[in-house]
């Protein structure tokens, strides 16, 4: 599946405002000012921009060469690695102090998260993964179909995104459990999108995407729900739940 640079640019300001500030600060401190950080599924480099100008060196790893070109144009000192994340054993982790990801774990299957945890346990490298969709969606004013749309969307989130059945809404809970089993201390934080009159374009596109997914998952009234919600999007407040995790090998954070 592909992610358009326009969509990633649209979500970035809300992503940055939503990240759990404490976990982000811990990850920034872990990376320090000179170390190399690998960002998995980096897209155009949103995580590097969330870190700010810290001095650390970014190694952007993604399967989409066009997104990586944008990332390099915006971060000229970074490394660009076109890579299929399925190949965990070959992940370029030499000299790396921290591995990051954002909006990625919910696309991935249990086997992938388990293999990543094993690889990072062997290498003794912490992992910061932000903005994992956690299955919670709410809107005010309410619509009679909100719960059915959410159920159908969440079912769609569990389908195969090209690498095996995705963890979808369970990704943060499952990843936390897997990393604990692999000897990490796991810290968690909430990073919900709070949508309102200032985020209408993002909200509008999101509603279309949710409706499409819910319809594909079999909810027949999905498009009627989208039409009703889009008609009032500027007056609607939305909550889309995400969870961030920061996993540190035992003993390293003391
Ligand atoms: C939702 S986007 C998030 C991008 C970026 N981290 C951000 O927060 O804006 C997911 C990214 O993961 C990449 N990706 C997904 N599956 C992949 C795979 N199997 N191999 C390599 N990259 C993958 C996509 O190309 C995309 O850039």
């Amino acid at each position: 599946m592909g992610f358009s640079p326009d969509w990633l640019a649209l979500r970035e300001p809300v992503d940055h405002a939503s990240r759990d500030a404490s976990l982000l600060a811990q990850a920034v401190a872990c990376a320090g000012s000179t170390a190399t950080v690998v960002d998995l599924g980096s897209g155009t480099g949103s995580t590097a921009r969330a870190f700010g100008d810290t001095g650390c060196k970014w190694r952007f790893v993604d399967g989409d060469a066009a997104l990586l070109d944008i990332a390099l144009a915006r971060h000229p000192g970074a490394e660009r690695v076109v890579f299929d994340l399925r190949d965990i054993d070959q992940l370029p982790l030499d000299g790396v102090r921290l591995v990051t990801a954002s909006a990625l774990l919910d696309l991935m299957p249990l086997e992938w998260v388990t293999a990543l945890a094993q690889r990072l346990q062997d290498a003794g490298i912490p992992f910061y993964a932000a903005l994992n969709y956690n299955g919670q969606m709410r809107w005010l004013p309410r619509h009679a179909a909100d719960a059915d749309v959410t159920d159908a969307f969440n079912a769609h989130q569990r389908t195969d995104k090209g690498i095996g059945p995705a963890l979808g809404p369970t990704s943060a809970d499952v990843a936390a459990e897997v990393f604990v089993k692999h000897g990490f201390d796991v810290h968690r934080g909430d990073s919900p999108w709070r949508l309102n009159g200032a985020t209408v374009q993002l909200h509008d596109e999101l509603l279309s995407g949710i409706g499409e997914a819910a319809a594909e998952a079999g909810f027949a009234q999905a498009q009627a729900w989208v039409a009703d919600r889009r008609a009032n999007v500027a007056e609607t407040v939305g909550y889309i739940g995400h969870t961030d995790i920061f996993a540190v090998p035992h003993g390293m954070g003391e």
Side-chain angles (χ1 to χ4, degrees):
M1 66 188 304
F3 292 87
S4 85
D6 290 346
W7 169 250
L8 296 182
L10 191 56
R11 59 176 290 168
E12 181 164 311
V14 178
D15 277 345
H16 283 189
S18 303
R19 282 176 187 256
D20 180 89
S22 166
L23 257 58
L24 176 61
Q26 290 175 54
V28 167
C30 170
S33 57
T34 55
T36 298
V37 180
V38 162
D39 189 29
L40 304 178
S42 60
T44 66
S46 186
T47 294
R49 291 186 287 283
F51 271 50
D53 196 7
T54 63
C56 64
K57 299 174 191 66
W58 287 92
R59 183 176 295 157
F60 295 134
V61 176
D62 202 288
D64 188 325
L67 294 179
L68 286 172
D69 287 344
I70 297 171
L72 260 282
R74 298 188 67 176
H75 302 273
E79 286 176 62
R80 170 192 189 277
V81 184
V82 182
F83 188 86
D84 186 337
L85 289 176
R86 277 179 283 207
D87 203 358
I88 293 269
D89 289 346
Q90 300 304 317
L91 266 182
L93 297 182
D94 287 352
V96 167
R97 182 174 302 169
L98 173 69
V99 171
T100 64
S102 58
L104 181 75
L105 291 188
D106 41 40
L107 303 173
M108 297 315 217
L110 172 63
E111 293 69 23
W112 185 86
V113 172
T114 305
L116 178 68
Q118 184 65 59
R119 185 80 208 279
L120 297 184
Q121 179 185 30
D122 293 346
I125 299 174
F127 180 50
Y128 167 62
L131 296 154
N132 308 296
Y133 172 63
N134 66 16
Q136 297 174 33
M137 298 199 288
R138 297 193 285 275
W139 291 269
L140 280 177
R142 293 190 171 86
H143 186 290
D146 286 346
D148 289 335
V149 167
T150 301
D151 286 349
F153 179 73
N154 288 349
H156 190 272
Q157 288 278 301
R158 301 293 308 262
T159 58
D160 190 335
K161 306 295 184 296
I163 184 172
L167 286 169
T170 68
S171 66
D173 287 347
V174 170
E177 202 176 304
V178 167
F179 273 80
V180 164
K181 277 191 190 142
H182 283 79
F184 288 72
D185 297 318
V186 177
H187 311 270
R188 301 165 59 113
D190 292 331
S191 52
W193 281 1
R194 296 181 189 279
L195 304 171
N196 52 41
T199 56
V200 167
Q201 195 187 346
L202 175 70
H203 198 172
D204 192 66
E205 290 203 23
L206 179 70
L207 292 170
S208 298
I210 291 171
E212 215 170 288
E216 270 178 38
F219 181 56
Q221 283 89 46
Q223 290 311 334
W225 175 88
V226 172
D228 289 349
R229 282 241 160 268
R230 289 183 82 181
N232 298 299
V233 65
E235 294 78 40
T236 300
V237 173
Y239 177 101
I240 310 294
H242 298 100
T243 304
D244 298 348
I245 63 168
F246 183 43
V248 184
H250 276 328
M252 188 181 267
E254 288 148 21

